[in-house]
DNA sequence: AAGTCGTGGCT
DNA sequence: TAGCCAAGACT
């Protein structure tokens, strides 16, 4: 414990061990490398803070390749902060469908309304004000303010953590040294060229200083990289072992009304998949069959009686911290008027109408099965 | 302050 | 292929 803290402090004490000319050298070499090697990304072709903001939110915990088509579609549909502010949440979530972490979309939508109502539609230009907007933390605020306005605000995303951890040969997992890593990021930042510097730092991490097989032989920081000099670049950043994630079986109902309509529900705003639509269902309890589970869940959640019929599909899906197997059955509505007991809203829809609603990925699999099965 | 929150790309 | 992890924020 004490030993760990000492190691962190010694290592992050790069400011003491590196003379100021080394800082200048790090900045110069990185910016020179970036000038020749920067990626051509859609959000780098604009300085519109709204567009950059959208990209920063989408890029949270999400790879560039995944984001690009979502980003293009989003800006084509909601080109300004005002259009987003007045949009319906359902349409916002539909644009986000498949990206995951749906609180990002809900918060972005809400923040747009704040920017319009309280900032006259102009994105705030101080770190403190930007961070007050829902969904915008210190890294995202720094990313937006530096990229849109060239303001001297540091960042510390996954790429930067890895790059800096290797630069100083950080002897503990980055999670244990967040404050020190922020100090280094701020200390290195080129305050006259913060836009390019921050982008360069992220590009370095994304293209050369990668998690596996880093291309040290092409890295502008190789001469100053502590990890490289010690030959431990693949050992850093250190990782913590993860606990195995639990598995749950879920009974899911596709309830037909006999006239071609299916019953779907909208999940509550808070928690997993908040605001998204789904086919109703719930966890199997010990000793319970799938059919019994589905009948019980539908009774509890919607207050109706159903007949559980043929199995439609079984869907395996992995979330962040648990896995599920959805056991999906065709069901027939028998009696009772459906009520929104454990959800925000319910609705009967046809297979044609259903595509207008935002569904999480595992439920999209069910819809595909319904389509292909007729 | 550790847990919660998605999905897909990559090896 | 099964696991790791990605331009993190929120509670």
């Amino acid at each position: 414990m004490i030993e760990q803290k000492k190691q962190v402090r010694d290592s992050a004490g790069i400011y003491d061990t590196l003379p100021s000319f080394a800082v200048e050298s790090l900045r110069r070499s990185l910016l020179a490398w970036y000038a020749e090697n920067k990626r051509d990304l859609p959000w780098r072709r604009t300085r519109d803070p709204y567009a950059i903001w959208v990209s920063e939110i989408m890029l949270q915990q999400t790879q560039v390749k995944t984001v690009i088509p979502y980003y293009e579609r989003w800006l084509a549909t909601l080109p300004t902060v005002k259009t987003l502010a007045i949009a319906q949440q359902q349409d916002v979530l539909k644009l986000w469908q498949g990206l995951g972490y749906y609180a990002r979309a809900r918060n972005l939508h809400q923040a747009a309304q704040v920017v319009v109502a309280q900032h006259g539609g102009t994105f705030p230009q101080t770190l403190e004000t930007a961070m007050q907007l829902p969904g915008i933390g210190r890294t995202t605020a720094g990313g937006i303010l530096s990229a849109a306005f060239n303001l001297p605000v540091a960042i510390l995303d996954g790429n930067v953590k890895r790059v800096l951890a290797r630069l100083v040969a950080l002897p503990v997992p980055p999670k244990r040294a967040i404050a020190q890593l922020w100090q280094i990021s701020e200390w290195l930042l080129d305050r006259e060229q913060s836009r390019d510097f921050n982008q360069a730092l992220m590009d370095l991490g994304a293209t050369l200083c990668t998690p596996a097989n880093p291309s040290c032989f092409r890295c502008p920081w190789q001469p100053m990289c502590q990890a490289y000099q010690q030959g431990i670049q693949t050992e850093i950043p250190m990782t913590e072992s993860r606990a195995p994630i639990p598995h749950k079986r879920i009974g899911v109902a596709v309830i037909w009304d006999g006239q071609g309509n299916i019953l779907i529900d909208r999940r509550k705003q808070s928690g997993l998949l908040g605001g998204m639509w789904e086919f109703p269902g719930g966890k199997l309890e010990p000793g319970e069959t799938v059919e019994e589970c589905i009948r019980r869940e539908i009774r509890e959640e919607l207050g109706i009686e159903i007949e559980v019929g043929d199995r439609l599909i079984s869907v395996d899906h992995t979330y962040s911290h648990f896995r599920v197997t959805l056991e999906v059955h065709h069901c027939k509505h028998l009696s009772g008027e459906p009520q929104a007991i454990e959800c925000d809203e319910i609705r009967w829809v046809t297979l044609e109408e259903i595509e207008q609603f935002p569904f999480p990925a595992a439920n999209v699999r069910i819809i595909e099965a319904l389509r292909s099965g007729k």
Side-chain angles (χ1 to χ4, degrees):
Chain A
M1 187 59 174
I2 295 176
E3 186 70 21
Q4 269 194 348
K5 283 195 171 181
K6 182 174 188 303
Q7 287 180 327
V8 174
R9 193 170 300 118
D10 286 347
S11 180
I14 183 173
Y15 345 96
D16 305 325
T17 61
L18 275 181
S20 59
F21 72 77
V23 184
E24 289 303 327
S25 174
L26 286 164
R27 289 176 187 155
R28 257 200 317 275
S29 57
L30 179 62
L31 288 168
W33 171 84
Y34 180 67
E36 294 299 321
N37 298 282
K38 60 183 167 189
R39 292 176 291 175
D40 179 23
L41 302 173
W43 41 90
R44 285 184 181 165
R45 297 179 174 180
T46 179
R47 290 187 182 174
D48 174 12
Y50 168 69
I52 292 168
W53 175 17
V54 170
S55 77
E56 289 288 340
I57 302 300
M58 288 185 171
L59 286 161
Q60 290 170 4
Q61 300 291 284
T62 310
Q63 296 182 182
V64 166
K65 178 173 294 185
T66 304
V67 164
I68 289 176
Y70 282 89
Y71 173 83
E72 305 282 16
R73 200 176 316 132
W74 184 285
L75 284 180
T77 311
L78 302 171
T80 66
V81 67
K82 289 180 184 173
T83 59
L84 173 57
I86 63 176
Q88 295 299 307
Q89 189 195 54
Q90 295 304 294
D91 300 325
V92 171
L93 287 174
K94 187 66 188 180
L95 279 169
W96 205 270
Q97 175 176 304
L99 259 188
Y101 287 138
Y102 297 96
R104 294 184 295 174
R106 300 194 306 270
N107 287 333
L108 178 56
H109 186 210
Q110 188 184 337
Q113 295 170 345
V114 174
V115 167
V116 168
Q118 299 182 19
H119 302 283
T122 304
F123 194 86
Q125 296 183 33
T126 69
L127 178 61
E128 294 71 22
T129 316
M131 285 182 65
Q132 287 174 7
L133 295 171
I136 299 187
R138 189 172 170 189
T139 286
T140 299
I144 298 169
L145 295 177
S146 61
F149 308 114
N150 200 33
L151 288 170
V153 188
I155 58 173
L156 187 64
D157 65 357
N159 289 126
V160 178
K161 284 176 189 168
R162 184 173 57 257
V163 169
L164 298 184
R166 284 174 175 158
L167 180 66
V168 305
L170 194 71
V172 296
K175 198 190 307 180
R176 306 290 175 198
I178 292 299
Q180 290 88 339
L181 290 169
W182 269 112
Q183 284 182 33
I184 300 171
S185 183
E186 292 185 325
W187 168 74
L188 281 174
L189 177 64
D190 187 317
R191 304 183 69 80
E192 277 69 50
Q193 306 177 70
S194 62
R195 171 186 296 123
D196 286 346
F197 183 88
N198 282 341
Q199 297 298 314
L201 211 44
M202 289 190 283
D203 269 21
L204 188 66
T207 64
L208 294 188
C209 196
T210 49
N213 307 315
S215 303
C216 302
F217 67 101
R218 287 192 293 168
C219 180
W221 282 2
Q222 187 207 94
M224 290 152 286
C225 179
Q226 298 295 120
Y228 179 80
Q229 289 178 10
Q230 298 174 32
I232 55 172
Q233 62 271 187
T234 58
E235 319 294 325
I236 294 177
M238 300 178 70
T239 59
E240 306 193 82
S241 59
R242 300 180 170 186
I245 61 178
H247 181 271
K248 305 174 185 176
R249 288 185 77 197
I250 312 288
V252 176
V254 175
I255 305 172
W256 297 89
D257 69 349
Q259 305 173 51
N261 294 309
I262 306 168
L263 192 58
I264 60 175
D265 73 87
R266 184 161 57 85
R267 295 174 62 90
K268 288 180 284 192
Q269 287 288 308
S270 61
L272 185 72
L273 306 171
M276 301 290 282
W277 291 79
E278 67 175 2
F279 297 95
K283 290 190 291 284
L284 265 82
E285 292 185 348
E288 194 176 39
T289 69
V290 172
E291 285 81 358
E292 290 167 348
C293 164
I294 292 178
R295 271 195 299 273
R296 174 182 54 75
E297 289 285 348
I298 297 308
R299 198 177 299 131
E300 292 171 359
E301 295 184 3
L302 302 172
I304 61 174
E305 295 299 324
I306 59 170
E307 176 187 318
V308 180
D310 295 340
R311 187 174 72 85
L312 170 61
I313 189 178
S314 176
V315 177
D316 287 307
H317 189 78
T318 304
Y319 293 103
S320 304
H321 54 292
F322 64 93
R323 295 181 297 143
V324 295
T325 299
L326 306 183
E327 309 282 8
V328 188
H329 281 250
H330 286 291
C331 299
K332 184 195 297 179
H333 178 39
L334 293 180
S335 64
E337 188 65 21
Q339 307 164 51
I341 298 173
E342 294 179 18
C343 60
D344 272 2
E345 188 180 352
I346 54 178
R347 198 146 162 186
W348 290 102
V349 296
T350 66
L351 210 40
E352 304 301 318
E353 297 168 331
I354 206 169
E355 64 187 50
Q356 306 163 18
F357 297 81
F359 282 87
N363 278 251
V364 169
R365 298 276 310 279
I366 298 173
I367 295 172
E368 289 168 355
L370 283 170
R371 291 199 175 295
S372 60
K374 188 190 90 63

